[in-house]
Amino acid sequence: SVWDAVSVYIQDHLQLRQGVRIPALGSFDVVTKCVKVRNETIIFPMPVFYLARNLIVSHNLMDNKEYLPGHKELEPLKFPEVAAAASVSWKKVESCIRGTTSLISRSLGKGENIALVLRDVG
């Protein structure tokens, strides 16, 4: 239920074109993509995820140099809001997210392919 509530929180913010940062895991944001179709350029928002720098550095992963957010500040995930939506304590939310982040880090350290799929986010 915690990750379902996180998914809804992220979706709500992305619909408002606001990014969300989950400490030690990464950030969800919306970038503008331009696609040329015939003689017309179509501009549309595209949701993206960027792995946290601490995970990139500690596991010697390739960094996405295309992502340069400039001075855009992303809102950190608000544990109390997620906790209320999931009907659990904010400590439970924090523990769940830290546990998942730790598992992801261990998996990356072993060279395993992993996927964290969030409902209706991807």
Side-chain angles (χ1 to χ4, degrees):
S1 67
V2 169
W3 282 106
D4 286 345
V6 169
S7 296
V8 170
Y9 183 93
I10 291 169
Q11 286 175 46
D12 290 348
H13 282 76
L14 292 181
Q15 287 175 350
L16 297 171
R17 308 286 192 268
Q18 298 171 342
V20 176
R21 181 176 50 82
I22 300 178
L25 179 63
S27 59
F28 296 83
D29 201 1
V30 176
V31 297
T32 302
K33 276 291 197 193
C34 298
V35 176
K36 191 138 181 114
V37 179
R38 296 186 197 134
N39 293 333
E40 188 177 345
T41 300
I42 300 172
I43 301 171
F44 62 94
M46 185 176 96
V48 293
F49 173 76
Y50 299 104
L51 194 62
R53 179 138 336 271
N54 64 303
L55 291 173
I56 291 170
V57 170
S58 64
H59 298 294
N60 297 315
L61 301 174
M62 292 185 60
D63 200 353
N64 185 351
K65 301 292 184 194
E66 287 182 27
Y67 178 60
L68 298 170
H71 298 303
K72 182 176 182 182
E73 193 155 323
L74 301 180
E75 177 181 320
L77 180 72
K78 293 188 176 155
F79 294 168
E81 287 184 32
V82 172
S87 300
V88 297
S89 71
W90 72 268
K91 285 282 193 190
K92 178 78 169 179
V93 171
E94 182 181 41
S95 175
C96 180
I97 290 173
R98 283 186 186 203
T100 302
T101 301
S102 178
L103 177 62
I104 289 170
S105 182
R106 283 194 306 272
S107 297
L108 289 171
K110 293 177 183 177
E112 298 174 345
N113 288 326
I114 56 170
L116 175 63
V117 181
L118 301 178
R119 181 183 295 184
D120 298 327
V121 176

